[in-house]
Amino acid sequence: MLHSPTAPAGDGAVALQDQVELLVRPGRQCLVPGAAEALLRAETGSGSGRIGKDTVTSAAGMRAVTRAASREESLLPLLVSVNQEGGRLNALDWPQAAQLPGSMALGAAGAEDLAEQAGAVIGGQLRAVGVTWNLAPVCDLAAWPSPSAVGTRAFGSDPEQVSRLVGAFVRGLQTAGVAATAKHFPGLGGVAADPHHAAPVVDELSEGALLPFRAAVRAGAACVMVGSHTVRAIEDRPALASPRMISVLREDLGFDGLVVSENLSIPAVHEPLGGLAHAAVAAVAAGVDVVMLDSEISRGRQSHLRRVEAVRRRGEVVQALVDAVEAGLIDRRRIAQAAARVLALHRGFGIAPKTPLPGWTEANEAAHEVADRLAEASVAVVRGAHLLPLAPKTPVAVVRVPDRGQRRADSARHAPDLLPTLFGAGYRLLPVPAGGDVPGDVGAVVVYGYDTRTSAGDRSRAAAEAARLAQQHPVVQVAFGDPDDLAGSPADVLITAWSPHKASASAVSRVLSGRLRARGVVPIEGAAW
């Protein structure tokens, strides 16, 4: 999800329309010129403000696009935002890009220095391609079973440990020259419903929910993203439209940076507030500085009709905000205050024509090194460590359980299946499809998957497959996603690795073969197998 607004470069009196334009992401700038963008501008009078991953498919391509866009005259320093968390959600998911395990791997390793290094190398990758605003880290507390919207995106469930790791990650990211965004304030811990599909309501905050956000603020986080869930104990309306909630952030936590909304274009987010335009007005009136809109146009190939619709929706939001000011629903000073924060973010983190950028090769190599160290430190064997390593002289069956693929904006499900290749050296592997028959002469069966849980509280598909096979064979089950994929599994050995990316698959293969001793712990209170 990549966005960038246009803005006036001057500091003098700015027209209301220009100020409001600053508050709505994505902006109107054409970032990737071409026939499709020209047609869009001809029909709507606006660029899309997005970089489509179907057209920019490499680090070199992204760097060229952002360098060219930063040279346009009369614009602020270019500021492009992205979700690059590690693990599940990585917008820069090209095959050649190093991907770090999810934030829960940092919780499993429990090392602040690794958290700071993780933030630094992710920041290095982003800045090397001209992207300098990261919508990370996730400050939500983990729970058991894992809420589908959070899972391995969280650092863990212990507020004190999560706070230390969040602060370290923020410091690393911003030292690399990339703005950090603590999300989803005031924390999704205790929220069972997925905010992408429902409008969660809880009576009160979970214990310690605010501590990670306080740590992010103390570490100097440039931004905080406010979520769409309602906490009745504070105010009976969605957080992003709650003046009392924003007051908690500003006054109780002392945050004076930029407040950004959750993605308002998601129906579950805007419908409780009366639609997209009404939600944007409510959010800005409550104290949100930037409203984020639909990012679908940057994923895959979209029809011209849908691109036009997205740009027009943005225009409707801008007009609704202007009308709200003119009608006295939003104070003009509130708009000026928000616009000033946006300008400060551009000038603090944006790139200009002569802004130096690190080299991609060096940045990516550094990310590979930290990904490997993090994977090695975080892989956890939660049952049956004494049964490892697997004997190399007898065949080993490997069963990949297909992913459900229901998580929104989940780039990790496209990761290549590397475990058989990495584990195969020194072993005779027999690939078996899920539900298939396993020969009787195998020494063990390795069952693994990424996203195989059907619903909270139910045994995952991978655990069910392990149960089927455990009646006749020794079974190892590996979870490359949320650790509750292992819950209820009768497998002899249970391993959790936090992501399906190469570093995690390599660490698991070495644990299975005895070349690595697993050191990680599951950082979720109440985890049970």
Side-chain angles (χ1 to χ4, degrees):
M1 296 185 289
L2 303 161
H3 327 276
S4 178
T6 58
D11 282 319
V14 180
L16 174 62
Q17 180 81 21
D18 291 334
Q19 287 184 316
V20 169
E21 289 282 0
L22 285 169
L23 313 190
V24 184
R25 308 279 295 197
R28 303 177 69 243
Q29 183 179 0
C30 169
L31 295 174
V32 188
E37 194 76 12
L39 182 61
L40 183 70
R41 182 174 288 279
E43 189 162 344
T44 67
S46 172
S48 67
R50 293 177 171 94
I51 301 174
K53 292 202 295 181
D54 58 323
T55 56
V56 181
T57 59
S58 68
M62 181 68 73
R63 186 179 176 109
V65 163
T66 56
R67 269 304 193 199
S70 71
R71 295 189 184 102
E72 291 196 23
E73 296 180 1
S74 75
L75 297 180
L76 286 165
L78 182 73
L79 185 67
V80 176
S81 69
V82 67
N83 283 295
Q84 190 75 13
E85 298 174 1
R88 183 194 300 183
L89 192 53
N90 298 288
L92 306 190
D93 56 357
W94 311 300
Q96 70 271 29
Q99 304 296 346
L100 273 68
S103 294
M104 194 167 284
L106 290 165
E112 288 182 55
D113 60 339
L114 265 178
E116 187 161 350
Q117 290 165 23
V121 296
I122 288 175
Q125 287 176 300
L126 293 177
R127 193 163 181 88
V129 297
V131 176
T132 53
W133 181 7
N134 196 7
L135 303 179
V138 169
C139 297
D140 310 318
L141 297 177
W144 190 267
S146 301
S148 59
V150 181
T152 55
R153 300 171 67 196
F155 291 87
S157 64
D158 177 18
E160 295 288 349
Q161 174 171 283
V162 171
S163 297
R164 291 191 293 270
L165 297 174
V166 161
F169 187 93
V170 167
R171 289 193 296 272
L173 190 63
Q174 295 200 165
T175 297
V178 174
T181 306
K183 63 184 184 185
H184 308 80
F185 187 81
L188 290 172
V191 175
D194 185 342
H196 296 115
H197 304 291
V201 178
V202 296
D203 290 330
E204 57 187 6
L205 288 173
S206 60
E207 185 176 356
L210 295 181
L211 290 181
F213 293 96
R214 191 181 300 276
V217 171
R218 288 175 175 170
C223 309
V224 171
M225 177 181 287
V226 182
S228 60
H229 50 301
T230 296
V231 182
R232 288 197 180 104
I234 296 177
E235 187 169 5
D236 196 11
R237 58 192 283 115
L240 57 82
S242 167
R244 292 180 184 174
M245 189 67 77
I246 305 301
S247 177
V248 169
L249 176 61
R250 293 291 189 200
E251 298 177 16
D252 295 0
L253 271 63
F255 180 65
D256 61 0
L258 185 138
V259 176
V260 58
S261 77
E262 173 63 279
N263 185 350
L264 289 185
S265 65
I266 299 170
V269 174
H270 67 239
E271 285 175 354
L273 293 165
L276 180 58
H278 287 290
V281 170
V284 173
V288 167
D289 300 312
V290 166
V291 290
M292 283 282 184
L293 304 185
D294 191 4
S295 61
E296 292 294 329
I297 197 167
S298 65
R299 284 189 236 129
R301 296 186 180 277
Q302 298 292 328
S303 69
H304 175 69
L305 183 63
R306 290 193 64 181
R307 288 164 60 85
V308 167
E309 181 184 357
V311 171
R312 285 180 173 164
R313 278 200 309 268
R314 182 193 184 279
E316 290 166 2
V317 167
V318 169
Q319 190 59 52
L321 288 169
V322 170
D323 292 344
V325 174
E326 293 177 343
L329 300 176
I330 301 177
D331 193 295
R332 176 67 184 259
R333 289 171 295 182
R334 166 85 273 273
I335 299 295
Q337 178 189 58
R341 291 193 179 112
V342 177
L343 292 171
L345 192 68
H346 274 265
R347 289 169 179 147
F349 290 93
I351 63 170
K354 295 183 179 180
T355 301
L357 301 179
W360 167 258
T361 299
E362 295 77 10
N364 200 45
E365 287 176 352
H368 271 299
E369 292 175 4
V370 172
D372 287 339
R373 290 204 302 273
L374 176 54
E376 291 172 358
S378 63
V379 169
V381 178
V382 299
R383 179 193 296 161
H386 64 287
L387 299 175
L388 298 175
L390 298 181
K393 295 183 179 181
T394 54
V396 176
V398 289
V399 181
R400 168 67 188 261
V401 179
D403 300 331
R404 291 181 63 238
Q406 297 299 308
R407 293 185 176 126
R408 183 181 174 89
D410 184 357
S411 64
R413 68 173 177 264
H414 302 300
D417 180 9
L418 297 174
L419 183 63
T421 300
L422 294 168
F423 178 49
Y427 287 82
R428 184 156 62 92
L429 302 186
L430 302 175
V432 176
D437 294 330
V438 174
D441 62 344
V442 302
V445 182
V446 177
V447 176
Y448 64 104
Y450 168 63
D451 173 18
T452 74
R453 191 180 59 168
T454 54
S455 62
D458 291 340
R459 179 182 279 179
S460 71
R461 292 177 180 176
E465 181 72 1
R468 181 182 74 86
L469 296 169
Q471 299 174 27
Q472 296 179 334
H473 306 278
V475 174
V476 176
Q477 185 186 338
V478 181
F480 282 110
D482 291 351
D484 55 8
D485 253 23
L486 304 176
S489 172
D492 303 279
V493 180
L494 298 178
I495 300 174
T496 184
W498 323 113
S499 92
H501 299 300
K502 183 178 180 180
S504 299
S506 176
V508 168
S509 73
R510 283 178 284 152
V511 168
L512 292 174
S513 62
R515 292 174 290 147
L516 174 68
R517 182 178 65 85
R519 308 194 303 273
V521 297
V522 176
I524 310 176
E525 183 179 0
W529 320 108

